Amino acid sequence: MSALRVLDFGSVSPVMSLAIWHGVADAMGAADDPVMTLSNPDAPFICVGFHQDVAQEVDEAWCAAQRMPVIRREAGGGAVLLDAPHLFVHFIYPRRLANGRAATLYPRFIAPLVETYRTLGVAARYRALNDIHVDDRKIGGSAIAAIGEAVVFA
């Protein structure tokens, strides 16, 4: 079993909140240990999934008027508004330790998050394919991306 390195960056800019896990994944080598990064953005922003058309998903005029940054991530999923209360947890694994289809990886990576919520007294549960729910309401979403030699669970 590999050691898991945990890097807690605390409150960072919206750009840095994405750059951290992109950078760690890009720098990861095939023999490296997995890394978990933690951060939260210090300002609100719109985060757009890798495969999305920004013009169809985001009201760009409103974002410009609000000075709301729109930033694309290298992971899939939908556009979301993110701000300071959101804790970003990213598991970054070398491909040798995280091979397989996304449908098989999501339960594996979501399980420790659900267990953490339960330990804190939150009645969280995994909802396929890639969400965490409490009382049938979504409290967390996730995405998986392959970047260089790494697989990222965001």
Side-chain angles (χ1 to χ4, degrees):
M1 182 67 165
S2 296
L4 175 67
R5 293 180 292 153
V6 178
L7 305 174
D8 186 347
F9 292 89
S11 182
V12 296
S13 72
V15 169
M16 185 61 73
S17 71
L18 296 176
I20 289 167
W21 61 270
H22 283 93
V24 171
D26 190 54
M28 182 165 278
D32 287 346
D33 288 330
V35 175
M36 180 175 73
T37 64
L38 304 168
S39 67
N40 62 294
D42 62 7
F45 71 104
I46 304 294
C47 188
V48 181
F50 184 75
H51 301 288
Q52 291 189 296
D53 179 347
V54 173
Q56 290 187 2
E57 300 294 332
V58 176
D59 183 339
E60 294 176 279
W62 181 88
C63 289
Q66 301 299 314
R67 298 181 182 210
M68 176 78 62
V70 178
I71 307 170
R72 183 178 300 280
R73 64 183 177 272
E74 212 169 314
V80 292
L81 169 65
L82 300 167
D83 58 11
H86 289 95
L87 173 63
F88 297 167
V89 178
H90 296 91
F91 294 101
I92 305 149
Y93 274 69
R95 288 181 188 238
R96 68 182 165 77
L97 297 176
N99 53 13
R101 299 183 52 82
T104 62
L105 293 175
Y106 280 119
R108 174 178 161 192
F109 287 111
I110 291 173
L113 300 174
V114 167
E115 188 57 34
T116 299
Y117 276 119
R118 289 180 180 167
T119 299
L120 296 171
V122 177
R125 67 176 182 80
Y126 167 65
R127 180 169 177 219
L129 177 71
N130 59 340
D131 292 333
I132 300 171
H133 279 229
V134 173
D135 297 329
D136 294 321
R137 296 186 74 179
K138 182 176 176 176
I139 66 163
S142 59
I144 290 178
I147 300 174
E149 292 294 322
V151 172
V152 180
F153 171 78

